[in-house]
Amino acid sequence: MISSDIIFGIIFIFQTGFGFMGNSLLFTLYMYTFLILPHKKKPLDMILAHLTLANALTLIFRGIPIIMSSFGIRLEMGSAGCKIVLYIQRVTRSISLCTTALQSTFQAVTITPSNHKWAWLKHRISIFIQPSLLFFWMINMAIYFVVILQTEANRNATVDGLGYYSPYCKNSAYNRNIAPVFLSTVFIRDFFFLSLMTCNSIYMVNILYRHHKTAQNVRNTIQSSSPSPENKATHVILILVSCFVFFYWTNTFLTVYAFYTSKKKQELEKFSNFFSSCYPTICSFFLVKNENRISRINFRKARIRISSS
């Protein structure tokens, strides 16, 4: 009979592998566009490049340690390695949140009607992208610097007491002076960006719905059975936002519960990491599916093969 650890290991292999390949493909496409085809660069590409980079790093630094421990492979990272791994996990997870919120804001401004009071932002928002991304990296790296101070290698088979625990690393509970400041900062940041993303998405859905109703009045009476572009865009927005909110808060709840429970369970930590890695994997599939440049590159390669044969 296959043990639960082996099952978890197999699941993480597929999740990490497919998610990393999807995000790497997208990141390579954006870098190719920046370096080789700069005239085809879009303002949104900078945001998506950071999002796919953060997602890929999250999957690798979460998935590989879990996979190795599930198959009974002892990974000696030492305290320095644990500090780096947990620090990157926390920072990239937060970068994914902030960048997704920035992406939704950019899209909301882009589809704003020309007669709207915020329409003047449509031609200026691009200049705020790079400073915003730089700010996200700086603020999240500063917030999670405390992780470096509190993390060390775990050399015991079982660990009880407050704190974060994994097969290789442990993060002891913060002292009374640091804990309120750290937890309040993280909660306020999460609440702000999730609220911003949700409000932007509701606004976009409303704009697309009104546009769809207006377009219905001028369309031919013979309607196509295929869904309209407005409906497709609405569905993508709803699915991505719903997935992000669900997986982010589920992982946050499990992480906080695991941190403050005195009896540590490896299965709880694995479930937390699984939910944390779900959005980076799902997001890559949706972005690949809706990235027209990938299909164009494949079409050009096929046409070159046909003409050369």
Side-chain angles (χ1 to χ4, degrees):
M1 184 175 179
I2 301 177
S3 66
S4 60
D5 289 338
I6 299 297
I7 295 175
F8 268 114
I10 295 173
I11 292 174
F12 275 104
I13 286 176
F14 282 102
Q15 184 188 55
T16 303
F18 284 116
F20 181 76
M21 285 191 296
N23 285 288
S24 298
L25 174 63
L26 289 165
F27 184 74
T28 302
L29 171 66
Y30 300 134
M31 291 298 102
Y32 177 80
T33 304
F34 292 149
L35 301 176
I36 308 300
L37 302 173
H39 59 284
K40 293 188 176 182
K41 180 176 63 175
K42 302 176 183 178
L44 191 61
D45 289 347
M46 180 67 70
I47 300 175
L48 295 178
H50 279 75
L51 179 60
T52 53
L53 175 62
N55 287 342
L57 291 175
T58 298
L59 289 167
I60 287 296
F61 280 88
R62 281 189 182 273
I64 291 181
I66 295 296
I67 292 171
M68 297 185 70
S69 66
S70 297
F71 288 97
I73 302 173
R74 183 66 188 176
L75 181 63
E76 295 294 341
M77 291 189 292
S79 294
C82 285
K83 293 177 187 294
I84 294 173
V85 169
L86 288 183
Y87 183 69
I88 294 177
Q89 286 182 12
R90 299 295 190 268
V91 171
T92 54
R93 176 176 180 263
S94 302
I95 291 295
S96 181
L97 165 66
C98 298
T99 308
T100 303
L102 178 63
Q103 177 194 11
S104 67
T105 302
F106 181 88
Q107 291 175 331
V109 173
T110 300
I111 68 172
T112 298
S114 301
N115 58 353
H116 197 274
K117 63 180 180 180
W118 297 108
W120 61 273
L121 277 173
K122 297 176 72 170
H123 304 291
R124 300 184 183 181
I125 191 172
S126 297
I127 65 176
F128 298 107
I129 292 178
Q130 292 187 10
S132 298
L133 293 170
L134 179 61
F135 173 76
F136 294 158
W137 282 98
M138 292 176 61
I139 192 66
N140 285 297
M141 291 174 69
I143 289 174
Y144 287 106
F145 185 78
V146 67
V147 173
I148 297 178
L149 303 177
Q150 298 292 127
T151 303
E152 60 182 343
N154 176 29
R155 296 180 174 85
N156 297 325
T158 58
V159 176
D160 295 332
L162 301 181
Y164 169 85
Y165 163 75
S166 76
Y168 309 114
C169 308
K170 62 179 180 179
N171 188 295
S172 56
Y174 307 116
N175 61 47
R176 295 180 179 179
N177 296 325
I178 297 177
V181 177
F182 174 74
L183 295 177
S184 299
T185 303
V186 171
F187 176 79
I188 292 172
R189 182 208 59 199
D190 289 359
F191 181 79
F192 171 77
F193 283 107
L194 284 170
S195 300
L196 178 64
M197 183 170 53
T198 303
C199 291
N200 286 331
S201 300
I202 294 173
Y203 172 76
M204 286 187 287
V205 169
N206 183 41
I207 291 293
L208 292 172
Y209 176 76
R210 284 190 293 169
H211 176 70
H212 175 62
K213 297 297 288 185
T214 303
Q216 273 188 327
N217 296 330
V218 298
R219 280 181 186 151
N220 201 321
T221 55
I222 302 176
Q223 295 293 322
S224 173
S225 59
S226 60
S228 65
E230 295 87 359
N231 283 339
K232 290 182 179 179
T234 301
H235 292 158
V236 170
I237 292 171
L238 286 173
I239 291 173
L240 284 179
V241 171
S242 300
C243 288
F244 193 101
V245 172
F246 173 75
F247 289 123
Y248 196 91
W249 282 117
T250 301
N251 171 250
T252 299
F253 171 79
L254 291 175
T255 300
V256 172
Y257 178 78
F259 189 89
Y260 284 101
T261 186
S262 58
K263 200 72 175 178
K264 306 302 178 184
K265 296 181 180 180
Q266 293 188 21
E267 289 77 11
L268 184 62
E269 177 60 28
K270 289 178 180 179
F271 272 115
S272 177
N273 281 285
F274 170 77
F275 282 108
S276 179
S277 301
C278 279
Y279 179 77
T281 302
I282 295 173
C283 179
S284 66
F285 282 107
F286 274 100
L287 292 177
V288 168
K289 182 180 179 181
N290 291 277
E291 182 53 71
N292 296 326
R293 283 171 291 186
I294 294 178
S295 58
R296 290 174 188 169
I297 291 173
N298 292 331
F299 174 76
R300 288 172 184 170
K301 288 182 179 180
R303 190 171 59 181
I304 292 173
R305 288 198 212 99
I306 293 172
S307 60
S308 61
S309 59

